[in-house]
Amino acid sequence: MYFLMRSLPMDINEINDQKARRKEELEFLEKIGINPYPYEFNKTHSAIEIISQFRDEEPEKFSKVFVAGRIMTFRRMGKATFCDIQDETGRIQIYFRKNDLGDSYDLLKYLDIGDIIGVEGFVFRTRMGEITVHTQRYEILCKSLTPIPVPKVEEDESGNKIVHDQFTDKEQRYRKRYVDLIVNPDVREIFRKRAKIISFIRNYFDSRGWLEVETPILQPIYGGATARPFITHHNALDIDLYLRIADELYLKRLIVGGFEGVYEISKNFRNEGMDKMHNPEFTALEIYVAYKDYFWVMELVEDLLNSLVTYLYGTEKIVYDNVEIDFKKPFARRKMFDLFKEYIGEDLKNKSEQELLEIGKRLELEFPENASKAKILDEIFSEIVQPNLIQPTFVIDYPIEMSPLAKKHRSEEGLVERFELFVNGFEIANAFSELNDPRDQRSRFEEQARLRAKGDEEAMVIDEDFLNALEVGMPPTGGLGIGIDRLVMLLTNQKSIRDVILFPQMKPENQ
RNA sequence: GACCCUGUAGCUCAGGGGUAGAGCACCUGACUUUUAAUCAGGGGGUCGCAGGUUCGAUUCCUGCCAGGGUCACCA
C-alpha cells in the first residue's frame, strides 16, 4: 500500500486545496443545471469602449451593454459585490446587487478570480466616480480550475499605479506566458507593438511593389550567414537537412528568376549560445531589390526606420535605457577603417594577420586559435568601436574577408560595398551591394572552404546551385537584412530578447 | 562551456541546527456604490531534488536540476 501511494504521480497541483475547491464549485454548478463551459456570448462592447464612450457624456438614459472578460478582483460586501473583469482592451468594474439578481446573486460565491463571465447590464458612474456596469444578468463562460497570481493595483494621489504582489518570477513568466499575459498588461503591450512593427514593414514593402515570398526552412545546404546550423533528418529521402540560418541565397535565386524586389520575414535557426541578445530561433527580415546598390539601401533603411518610429510614437525620437535616440534623417555614415582610426588611433588597413593580432592583444582582447583576419577585425570592432555607436550610425565599407557575399568596392581595394546599421550598440541592419560575379563568388566560397578546413565551423559551405544561378545571371542588386527581435527590443525598451519573443527557448523542466 | 547569485504557501517575500512566518489570494461570519474595500475567525508547506555530517537538517557540506546575471561564440 505504501509503495502504491508512493508510485502514484504526486503532482503537487493535484492535491492543491484551491484546485480541489474550484473543482467542487464547478461540479456544483453542473449539478444545478449550469454549463460552466458554454458555447458563445454576444459582446457588444469592450472594456475600453465602455469607458471611452461614457467618460465624457453622462447619458441621461442608462445604456445597455454586453461585456465579457476574466474576473481579476472581487470586493464582496454582503448584498452587493464589485468585481473587475478584464478583456483584451483592459478592465471594467462590474456591480452586482442582490435586489436585482435574486437567486443568481447567491451563485456569485461559486465564482473565483480567474473565471470568465459575460455580463448584461447598464453603465453608470459610482459615487467614487468609476464607470461601472450594473449587472442585470450574468453568466459564467469559463470556470477556472487553476488559480492565477493576483497582483493588486493601487493608485496614489498623483494617479501613479503601484502594483502589489506582481508576478515577477522570470522563469514562470516565460514558461507560463499565458499567465504572464493575463496578469502583466505591459507584456501584452510589447507584443502588440511587435505585431505593429512587422505589419508596418510589410505594408511599407508591399506598397512599393516588392513581393513577399516564402523560401525553404529545411535546406540541404545551409548558407547566407556564418553560423552553426541545426541538423535534422528526412526519413523518406533518408537525408540530413539543415534548418535555415538565413534565406539570402534563396532570395537571390528569385532575383535571378526575374522578380525585381523580393522580401521574406524569416524564422532563422542558429545552433549557438543563448543570452539576452540571442534566441536559437529568431526572426529576420531580408529584402533584395534589383538594379540598386548599397547607397540606395541606406536611404531605404533611413526612411523605413524613421517612418516606423514616427508611426509608433509620433516623433523621430525614442528613449532606450534612459538614452534618447534620434532617428532623424540622414543617419551618420562612417567608414569602418575611419572608426578604427578614431577609437584605436591606428590605421588597420593593409595590416597583416600577425600585426592585427598584436594590436588586438594590446587592447586586451582574446582571440580563438587560428583566428582569421576577418575574425580579428570583427572582434576589435565589436569590442572597441561598436559600444560607442549609440545614435543611428551606418558603418560602411567592410574588409573583403568579413563579407563573402558582398560585391567588391567600386573604388577601394580590399573592401566590399557593405554597411551595417548600429543603434545603441546593437547591430540592427546588414546590407550590401550583392556580389553577382559568379567567378568572384566561387573564389570567395573557396576561401570559406579553406577556413572551414582550418577548423572554422561557422565558415560557409559551397553552394553549387547558387553559383549556377549567378552564372545564369543576377542583375546588380541591393540586399538588406534586419534583425526583427533586436529592432523590437530597441523600439519597446526591452533589455532581453526573451521579453520580445512570446515563447523563448527554455530548458525543459525536470519532471 | 566557465564563473557568480537565486530556488521557503497560489503570488510577493522574511527567517533560520530543535514541530515553519507575514501580506495578498483561499474558507467561515458581518457589511446593498466598493476599489490594495474593511472587520472578526480559520485552513493551507516533504523550505527545488538527492546524498552526507548530526541525537536531530528546511538551515551546515557535496552533487544534481532549473532560473537570472557576467564572460566566451554569434545576429
Side-chain angles (χ1 to χ4, degrees):
Chain A
M1 191 59 195
Y2 176 74
F3 277 98
L4 184 63
M5 299 274 292
R6 293 286 295 193
S7 64
L8 287 170
M10 292 294 280
D11 181 356
I12 190 80
N13 290 322
E14 282 302 313
I15 52 175
N16 178 316
D17 64 325
Q18 293 195 38
K19 267 183 104 157
R21 187 188 52 71
R22 284 170 180 234
K23 229 170 187 162
E24 281 166 23
E25 288 172 349
L26 177 140
E27 282 158 9
F28 174 81
L29 290 170
E30 282 182 319
K31 216 168 82 185
I32 64 169
I34 292 171
N35 180 1
Y37 299 105
Y39 294 89
E40 47 82 47
F41 182 79
N42 287 318
K43 289 174 63 168
T44 58
H45 290 71
S46 67
I48 204 164
E49 280 168 350
I50 291 172
I51 287 165
S52 60
Q53 196 168 324
F54 292 86
R55 185 163 38 211
D56 306 319
E57 20 169 327
E58 294 284 351
E60 289 291 296
K61 287 181 198 162
F62 292 133
S63 305
K64 166 96 80 180
V65 292
F66 292 77
V67 280
R70 191 182 298 275
I71 298 171
M72 300 304 289
T73 66
F74 257 122
R75 291 177 291 284
R76 306 179 197 253
M77 302 179 307
K79 296 188 179 63
T81 292
F82 288 88
C83 76
D84 296 332
I85 64 170
Q86 173 172 287
D87 66 17
E88 192 184 334
T89 66
R91 291 188 184 191
I92 180 84
Q93 179 167 261
I94 307 293
Y95 176 53
F96 302 91
R97 206 167 63 159
K98 169 92 174 167
N99 280 9
D100 305 316
L101 296 168
D103 288 349
S104 86
Y105 184 86
D106 298 327
L107 293 178
L108 284 177
K109 72 171 167 222
Y110 298 99
L111 294 187
D112 288 289
I113 289 174
D115 292 351
I116 296 168
I117 59 170
V119 172
E120 172 187 354
F122 56 84
V123 184
F124 76 112
R125 200 182 276 270
T126 65
R127 255 178 231 161
M128 300 302 287
E130 181 155 351
I131 293 162
T132 301
V133 177
H134 187 132
T135 307
Q136 293 166 305
R137 196 182 64 79
Y138 75 90
E139 62 179 296
I140 183 159
L141 301 177
C142 174
K143 182 74 191 157
S144 163
L145 294 180
T146 295
I148 53 172
V150 191
K152 294 209 164 190
V153 184
E154 181 186 13
E155 243 174 75
D156 67 10
E157 305 82 37
S158 35
N160 296 320
K161 288 196 170 155
I162 305 163
V163 181
H164 300 270
D165 299 324
Q166 194 160 18
F167 181 52
T168 54
D169 183 320
K170 289 212 171 199
E171 176 177 359
Q172 290 305 315
R173 287 185 47 215
Y174 297 143
R175 288 192 195 281
K176 304 218 184 315
R177 185 67 96 181
Y178 43 93
V179 174
D180 191 29
L181 289 164
I182 292 168
V183 303
N184 288 323
D186 295 351
V187 176
R188 292 200 295 274
E189 214 34 61
I190 290 165
F191 290 102
R192 282 202 191 95
K193 277 230 172 79
R194 183 181 172 115
K196 278 175 104 170
I197 289 165
I198 291 171
S199 75
F200 181 91
I201 293 171
R202 184 172 271 131
N203 288 337
Y204 185 99
F205 291 164
D206 288 346
S207 69
R208 281 157 178 78
W210 300 323
L211 186 71
E212 181 169 14
V213 296
E214 294 173 278
T215 66
I217 294 172
L218 295 174
Q219 304 182 346
I221 299 171
Y222 61 95
T226 51
R228 278 185 290 174
F230 286 93
I231 304 170
T232 187
H233 188 79
H234 189 282
N235 291 339
L237 295 176
D238 193 23
I239 52 168
D240 282 343
L241 292 169
Y242 303 95
L243 272 60
R244 71 175 162 208
I245 59 172
D247 51 358
E248 172 156 356
L249 302 186
Y250 282 94
L251 293 178
K252 287 189 203 170
R253 284 173 171 95
L254 295 175
I255 297 293
V256 171
F259 292 120
E260 297 189 4
V262 290
Y263 74 95
E264 181 170 19
I265 295 167
S266 160
K267 260 299 180 70
N268 295 343
F269 306 84
R270 297 189 187 174
N271 206 342
E272 282 160 356
M274 305 160 54
D275 59 34
K276 64 182 176 178
M277 297 299 280
H278 301 84
N279 195 61
E281 58 181 288
F282 64 100
T283 304
L285 161 79
E286 290 196 32
I287 177 163
Y288 294 83
V289 180
Y291 308 112
K292 304 297 184 188
D293 65 6
Y294 76 143
F295 291 114
W296 179 89
V297 178
M298 258 183 265
E299 280 170 33
L300 172 71
V301 171
E302 267 169 3
D303 187 66
L304 174 67
L305 293 185
N306 179 279
S307 44
L308 173 58
V309 168
T310 307
Y311 164 72
L312 289 175
Y313 295 106
T315 154
E316 296 177 320
K317 294 175 182 171
I318 62 162
V319 174
Y320 185 90
D321 205 9
N322 297 320
V323 178
E324 188 179 82
I325 293 170
D326 191 344
F327 285 90
K328 189 171 160 51
K329 296 190 277 187
F331 303 164
R333 296 185 187 190
R334 304 293 311 278
K335 291 184 176 181
M336 183 179 234
F337 283 97
D338 289 349
L339 286 167
F340 277 131
K341 255 183 250 171
E342 179 174 338
Y343 287 97
I344 302 171
E346 206 158 346
D347 191 352
L348 301 191
K349 225 177 193 172
N350 306 321
K351 288 271 193 287
S352 71
E353 203 169 292
Q354 196 50 42
E355 289 169 315
L356 289 172
L357 207 54
E358 277 162 24
I359 290 167
K361 291 206 170 130
R362 222 183 300 143
L363 295 164
E364 296 179 352
L365 301 176
E366 285 172 25
F367 300 94
E369 227 163 296
N370 294 330
S372 62
K373 200 168 161 184
K375 270 246 185 308
I376 299 167
L377 283 169
D378 191 34
E379 180 75 9
I380 296 175
F381 184 81
S382 50
E383 288 301 311
I384 308 293
V385 180
Q386 192 173 324
N388 295 295
L389 305 177
I390 304 301
Q391 297 303 318
T393 305
F394 289 118
V395 176
I396 65 175
D397 297 347
Y398 281 62
I400 192 165
E401 297 86 350
M402 289 173 76
S403 317
L405 300 168
K407 201 167 186 168
K408 273 179 183 152
H409 198 281
R410 62 194 74 184
S411 60
E412 297 203 48
E413 191 65 30
L415 299 183
V416 291
E417 295 200 351
R418 173 183 179 188
F419 73 81
E420 292 189 294
L421 175 69
F422 293 89
V423 183
N424 195 57
F426 298 179
E427 183 196 328
I428 293 291
N430 182 24
F432 344 121
S433 300
E434 299 296 334
L435 175 53
N436 65 341
D437 179 338
R439 301 162 304 171
D440 191 6
Q441 184 66 78
R442 180 175 291 281
S443 74
R444 306 277 195 98
F445 273 151
E446 282 165 357
E447 174 58 23
Q448 288 289 308
R450 275 192 288 279
L451 292 174
R452 174 164 286 271
K454 273 171 69 182
D456 184 347
E457 287 183 68
E458 287 165 2
M460 291 181 190
V461 290
I462 298 178
D463 186 333
E464 285 294 342
D465 181 70
F466 175 67
L467 288 169
N468 189 60
L470 291 189
E471 282 174 12
V472 170
M474 181 173 84
T477 296
L480 165 70
I482 291 181
I484 294 293
D485 307 280
R486 289 178 182 182
L487 180 65
V488 175
M489 284 172 69
L490 185 70
L491 297 182
T492 57
N493 197 24
Q494 295 303 306
K495 310 297 176 293
S496 168
I497 197 167
R498 293 184 160 179
D499 291 319
V500 300
I501 292 175
L502 279 166
F503 300 100
Q505 197 56 243
M506 304 281 278
K507 263 197 197 180
E509 264 177 310
N510 213 25
Q511 293 298 331

